[in-house]
Amino acid sequence: MSTTMKIVATDAFALSDAERHEIEHEIGHYPDARAASIEALKIVQKHRGWVPDGAIAPVAAMLGIPAADLEGVATFYSLIFRHPVGRHVVKVCDSIACHLTGFEEVRDALVSALGIRFGETTPDGRFTLLPICCLGACDRGACLMIDDDLHGPVDPSRVKQLLEPYA
Ligand code: FES
């Protein structure tokens, strides 16, 4: 008796030409393509807003590394988003210096202003709220980042004004 195995493609993910081009360009900067892992993931995230599971294998293939290795990088690096996020991502530092300088008040003000908790996205898709470890601006605590903009020290009473420019 013979059996026939039918392989059905369930993952329709494909890197765009632009993503491939930019990743190839980035790889060219390093003697070892593996060193471009984070930048390659950031390129996908720049184009899509996040890094879908399906992106891991084709990006790893371009880098010439096992997909599991790239998955490890993508999981470890907190600025790589593995789920869809809002148009703007608010990352609130919850490390020790910011804890001592008002993290809880800033978090509570954000939760109140946005109506969401950490890990959630507003229903209108405008903001995602995430905790993050030290942003390297400990002298500006309590601090946070909105997209690529660092804010701090943040006055909890002015959180709404801080969010306004991010439409
Ligand atoms: S502890 Fe918040 S920036 Fe370092």
Side-chain angles (χ1 to χ4, degrees), residues 62-84:
M62 290 186 71
L63 296 167
I65 63 175
D69 288 8
L70 189 63
E71 179 68 47
V73 172
T75 303
F76 178 77
Y77 191 56
S78 59
L79 293 179
I80 297 297
F81 307 131
R82 301 307 311 282
H83 299 283

Side-chain angles (χ1 to χ4, degrees), residues 85-142:
V85 291
R87 294 193 297 284
H88 305 288
V89 180
V90 182
K91 292 158 283 197
V92 190
C93 174
D94 65 356
S95 292
I96 185 65
C98 288
H99 248 289
L100 296 172
T101 50
F103 159 77
E104 289 183 356
E105 290 80 1
V106 169
R107 176 202 58 201
D108 292 350
L110 284 163
V111 166
S112 170
L114 297 173
I116 56 173
R117 294 172 298 179
F118 278 144
E120 296 179 341
T121 298
T122 53
D124 62 1
R126 186 176 168 203
F127 289 109
T128 295
L129 184 61
L130 297 173
I132 194 165
C133 61
C134 184
L135 289 166
C138 311
D139 58 332
R140 295 181 59 181

Side-chain angles (χ1 to χ4, degrees), residues 14-73:
L15 292 170
S16 69
D17 289 345
E19 287 168 321
R20 286 192 166 279
H21 178 76
E22 289 177 38
I23 291 170
E24 277 165 9
H25 181 75
E26 196 61 41
I27 288 171
H29 290 150
Y30 300 95
D32 178 358
R34 177 184 290 270
S37 295
I38 289 175
E39 291 308 317
L41 292 166
K42 282 184 178 175
I43 287 167
V44 174
Q45 183 161 289
K46 181 184 77 176
H47 283 271
R48 300 168 190 262
W50 64 296
V51 178
D53 288 346
I56 298 297
V59 172
M62 290 186 71
L63 296 167
I65 63 175
D69 288 8
L70 189 63
E71 179 68 47
V73 172

